[in-house]
Amino acid sequence: MAGTTLGGLALGDHVCLLHGGPVGRSGVIEAFILPALDSGDKVICCTTQVTPAVVAEALEAADGRAREALRSGQFVITDARESYLPSGAFDAERVIDDWREELDRIRDAGYPGVRVIGDMNWAAEPVPGTERLAWYEAEMNRVFAAGFACVVCLYERGTFSPARLRQYIQAHPGTVEPGVPRIPQLRLRYTSDPRGLAIAGEADLANRAALAAVLAGLPHDVPGEGPLTIDVSGLTFADVGTAAALLRCTREIPQLRLTGLSPYLSDLLDMVAQAT
């Protein structure tokens, strides 16, 4: 069921969730939101295909917790177009800034985190700027790696072309489908001691754009000053492209070191270094 797919998500995760249509979308929203209300986190649902009122009515009927959370302000339902298309076009940089400001407001309000589920079908409409959506999704990983937000982006199969879906998938650290009990393939988290980034899971072509965006943001996105560490001890698989990206970081960023290297990854880095 969708709940087993979403149950393993944690703050900091950013996943692309593929679904087959209205029934699948409704089930995923319910499976994500209702357990999230128990976390104490702020919960946001951005809807496209139906109005916020319809979503609220369905969730309130399913569970009284939704009604109380809506009244208290812990749970908010918005029209996705208001979040992503405030000017009528998709301005990727502006939306990133808007989300940064919103996360700061939620943090200042005392919430331990925020969980967001957004229906991305608005991007299938003839809206200016949507050609930059894959870039936007990748860049948002630089925000989410702080570990304060858990975000699920809903993409409907058949609404987007296979080529566009591949771009969106690669921009997310993980991609899941209802009925597949798997957490994101890759987890990216900023660390304070040591200062840097922890990478865990599987890094390959399926999430290459997501990893590239976070690595490119170093060291500017990591709080503090001084040397940087990329901890890859949790990396269970890395392809040649991942090794090349890590090697490029060590060459471009002064005082950056890799820790937790497995024998496999050490050999892969040596091979790539010799080839370049």
Side-chain angles (χ1 to χ4, degrees):
M1 299 299 291
T4 59
T5 301
L6 301 178
L9 299 182
L11 295 177
D13 288 339
H14 176 212
V15 303
C16 173
L17 197 152
L18 306 177
H19 66 92
V23 174
R25 179 173 56 246
S26 298
V28 167
I29 289 174
E30 182 175 325
F32 177 82
I33 288 175
L34 296 181
L37 297 177
D38 292 330
S39 68
D41 297 327
K42 182 85 171 185
V43 181
I44 300 174
C45 175
C46 300
T47 181
T48 300
Q49 298 301 296
V50 295
T51 66
V54 170
V55 175
E57 182 179 358
L59 290 172
E60 287 177 351
D63 197 308
R65 290 175 298 172
R67 182 181 301 105
E68 294 304 315
L70 284 166
R71 290 175 178 171
S72 70
Q74 179 196 1
F75 179 26
V76 176
I77 306 174
T78 67
D79 187 319
R81 295 174 184 82
E82 296 177 1
S83 298
Y84 295 99
L85 308 172
S87 64
F90 180 61
D91 183 337
E93 285 85 355
R94 176 179 175 178
V95 176
I96 291 173
D97 289 341
D98 288 347
W99 274 115
R100 287 185 184 275
E101 293 174 3
E102 179 66 13
L103 295 182
D104 285 342
R105 285 192 290 268
I106 293 171
R107 188 181 288 106
D108 291 343
Y111 287 99
V114 57
R115 297 174 185 266
V116 182
I117 187 164
D119 183 353
M120 305 302 289
N121 269 16
W122 58 266
E125 300 171 1
V127 177
T130 53
E131 68 278 358
R132 301 195 67 211
L133 180 58
W135 177 87
Y136 159 84
E137 292 279 28
E139 286 293 300
M140 285 300 293
N141 293 298
R142 297 173 57 182
V143 178
F144 301 144
F148 184 71
C150 172
V151 180
V152 174
C153 301
L154 302 179
Y155 285 90
E156 183 177 346
R157 288 188 181 278
T159 299
F160 300 93
S161 70
R164 289 182 69 182
L165 273 182
R166 281 195 296 272
Q167 290 182 332
Y168 302 148
I169 287 170
Q170 291 176 353
H172 290 78
T175 298
V176 292
E177 297 187 60
V180 181
R182 182 176 182 178
I183 61 174
Q185 295 99 312
L186 187 66
R187 279 187 160 136
L188 306 164
R189 301 289 190 276
Y190 299 136
T191 59
S192 57
D193 187 20
R195 176 176 179 257
L197 176 72
I199 305 177
E202 303 172 10
D204 54 26
L205 182 61
N207 45 41
R208 182 159 299 165
L211 177 60
V214 173
L215 292 178
L218 299 175
H220 308 291
D221 297 330
V222 182
E225 298 179 354
L228 281 171
T229 295
I230 299 180
D231 181 358
V232 294
S233 60
L235 197 57
T236 57
F237 176 80
D239 65 1
V240 171
T242 301
L246 292 172
L247 187 62
R248 187 162 51 250
C249 275
T250 63
R251 292 172 172 174
E252 295 177 352
I253 302 177
Q255 294 184 296
L256 183 146
R257 65 190 184 99
L258 301 178
T259 64
L261 290 166
S262 65
Y264 164 79
L265 187 53
S266 293
D267 291 343
L268 189 59
L269 286 167
D270 289 341
M271 181 188 74
V272 173
Q274 292 172 14
T276 57

